């Protein structure tokens, strides 16, 4: 015999088709300090936590909106991977691509555009992490290369915002070739005496770090961004040593000379504009001047009377 009976009926679970009355995505919890932030407040701080200044990840479109003064012109929107290796892992690469294209509304992991940053016409490429981990395949390589070539033709400075897990494994060696291709285009940009600013955001790893992300005339990172080539576990196993605190974070890399600046996202646009203005200024360093205006070779000193 039971000591007591359940008098009341248990509360019935919510019918599955009955929609919740609380709208989704109104509040965001900061992954660093746990503060619950109102979504609209976050938009006004460029997705930086107002309490602890943790930088939440942002997409390529938000990045362009943050950098450009107004509208921008986007290029090569129709480029799409052809799946040259007919690659299949847990599912076919083709299926994975189609699903990502449908969910992100983008054809690949980078947006290339031109527009004005604080009045300076600039060619910008911004990577999108939600597109297969921002991985660099043939299309990303081609689009960034074209953005650099467009800058050379129009005598514009280049800004590339990296956010990537590295090369795209589903395109094998073809994705690795993009490292050389983009680096070669950057060398031509350098010969044309035009500045390139690399902006490294969380995360920038693998082949992207090993090529264009570290080739900037000025390399700027966001605070506490993960920047590295191989993951810490792989390195620990290889060198059989414990890695130091904060290893592969922006501040550590700045301290060890891998970066030039670590800048808060809310000041990023102003910092980029300042660097561009310095590099493009007539009285700036000689290498930033247009090739035609470079000084004549030194003449032997005139004989003194
Ligand atoms: Zn926070």
């Amino acid at each position: 015999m039971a000591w007591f009976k359940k008098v009341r009926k248990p509360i019935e679970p919510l019918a599955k088709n009955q929609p919740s009355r609380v709208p989704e995505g109104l509040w965001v919890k900061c992954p660093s300090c746990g503060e619950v932030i109102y979504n609209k407040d976050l938009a006004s701080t460029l997705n930086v936590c107002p309490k602890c200044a943790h930088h939440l990840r942002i997409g390529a479109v938000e990045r362009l909106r943050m950098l450009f003064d107004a509208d921008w012109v986007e290029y090569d929107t129709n480029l799409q991977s052809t799946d040259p290796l007919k690659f299949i892992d847990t599912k076919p690469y083709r299926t994975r691509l189609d699903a990502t294209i449908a969910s992100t509304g983008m054809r690949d992991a980078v947006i290339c555009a031109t527009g004005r940053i604080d009045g300076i016409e600039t060619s910008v490429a911004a990577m999108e992490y939600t597109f297969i981990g921002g991985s660099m395949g043939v299309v990303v390589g081609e689009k960034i290369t074209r953005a650099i070539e467009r800058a050379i033709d129009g005598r514009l400075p280049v800004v590339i915002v990296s956010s990537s897990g590295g090369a795209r494994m589903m395109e094998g060696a073809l994705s690795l070739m993009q490292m050389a291709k983009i680096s070669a285009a950057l060398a031509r940009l350098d010969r044309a005496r035009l500045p390139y600013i690399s902006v490294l955001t969380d995360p920038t790893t693998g082949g992207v770090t090993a090529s264009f992300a570290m080739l900037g005339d000025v390399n700027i990172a966001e605070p506490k961004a993960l920047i590295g080539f191989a993951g810490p576990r792989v390195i620990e196993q290889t060198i059989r040593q414990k890695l130091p605190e904060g290893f592969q974070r922006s501040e550590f890399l700045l301290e060890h000379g891998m970066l030039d600046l670590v800048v808060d996202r809310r000041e990023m646009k102003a910092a980029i504009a300042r660097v561009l203005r310095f590099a493009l200024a007539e009285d700036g360093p000689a290498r930033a001047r247009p090739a035609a205006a470079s000084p004549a070779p030194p003449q032997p000193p005139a004989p003194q009377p």
Side-chain angles (χ1 to χ4, degrees), residues 30-35 37 49-54:
C30 171
S32 176
C33 70
E35 176 87 347
I37 316 157
C49 172
K51 195 181 172 198
C52 72
H54 175 81

Side-chain angles (χ1 to χ4, degrees), residues 107-128:
R107 296 288 182 95
D108 217 299
V110 71
I111 298 181
C112 297
T114 57
R116 287 177 183 276
I117 298 177
D118 205 11
I120 307 164
E121 188 74 11
T122 309
S123 178
V124 179
M127 299 187 79
E128 172 63 52

